[in-house]
Amino acid sequence: MATFSQGFLQSLMRPSFGQNLFQVGQQIGSGPARQRAAQQQAALDKGLFGLEQMALSGELTPEMYKEAVGSYTQLMRQNPQASQEIRESLGRVGASVRQQSKQQAQISAKTKLENLKQAAVAVQMSEGISPQQKQENLARFRVEAQKIIDANPTVDLTTYATFSDDVEASAYQLDKLRDTRQTTAAVENFSNQLFQIKDYDTLQTTSDALLKANPEYAEEIKKLVNIQQTSIENREKRERAEAERGFDITGSVEDIRARTNNLPEAVKKIVDDNLKAAETIQTQNKNTTGWTNTSARDRARELIRRAEQIADDYVIRQEASNIIELRGIDNDIQTLLSQGPKPIESSKVDSLAEEMSLRETGKKLSDVSSKKRSQYIKDARSELVERNKAAFQTALSTAKARRASITGEELEEPEKPEETPKFLNPVSKEAVEAARANGQTDSQIRRTFQRMGVDNATIIELLFD
């Protein structure tokens, strides 16, 4: 795409410029008339083409376009034959400039709002600020966001209408991610330390040290310690039984296989491969009187220990994963309980009241009586309160169900709520039947749908199909 220098643009827009393209026809004082006309047209075409190219490339600002319009307006007075061509070209240039100006305004406004949002999120995540201060700061950020929105009435900024909610949601997600990372690092550190321990005394000493240094993870540490204690007990019991059987590993193989029944198939296979290898060695190097090869016996026992360690490693790491997930779920539940059902928004109350009015009377909310309008607003508010309560209970039940799926706890059956009237979709056959039951004619219903912006094909389908 062609581009032009600022000097060229200035010469293009100033009629007083000595060799300006707008006046080039007047400067030609010799030669046949046809040649002068051709040169004039060539100069005009070149100037208009250059202007359009600059507009398309984004180099032409609204101020520069305004100056160009003034210059070309003067040229149209001097050369009426070229007026149509100039107007069409200026129309294309103006449309391009306006579109790019609109895009720039949108980019600028969204950039400002995004920066403001990031700043608000950073404040919400600051650990040295009290909850009250965070709410006060968020209110100020919300005011600044509204100022940006109000200053750009022609720009679609509807995605920022819920600025406060978006900031709090972003801050919560980031805070949750930070907590998850911290919990993951801590729990993995605990499990790694504990899994290396092979005797009770060291386990007790390490457990006491971890509990003292990390009291906020006391419950998690105790769970991991219990698992490792069980692992040590199983190993010592197995080794005593092996010694009593003259190091026959058959019982150990059966015991370990039984303990892997609930493990994933991939883990079971690795464990079983080691057990089978141990069995093969025993078959080849042991008879009715005992082992014939001490080194072979030790290799078989090492394979048994390895199989057991793989199974125990999976169990403790799975428990660590469960601990991390449970901690996140518990945080979610605590947050839900502290916040309660989401507050209703006045804009949604007005919107729902408008839908109710259109559905029941065929009139806009502003066209019904003040008494009826107040009732619709009251009903809409009650409906939204119930919706938010239901959404809150659903989120809480879902979180508790996730927790129970990990812990194996049985959830209490929730009390069955009283059935509330179902809010009808305003554009549906049910809404049509309800309107007819209220005495509205099909003509009134059609006009109601038309006010709501429903297309004719859908109206016909709802009314007559």
Side-chain angles (χ1 to χ4, degrees), residues 27 70 106 118 131 134 145 312 429 448:
Q27 300 299 324
Q106 185 170 355
Q118 295 304 317
K134 288 181 179 180
D312 289 347
K429 289 186 179 296
T448 298

Side-chain angles (χ1 to χ4, degrees), residues 249 277-287 291:
I249 66 170
E279 288 178 315
T280 299
I281 292 174
Q282 177 166 279
T283 300
Q284 295 172 348
N285 297 276
K286 184 177 179 296
N287 55 34
W291 284 86

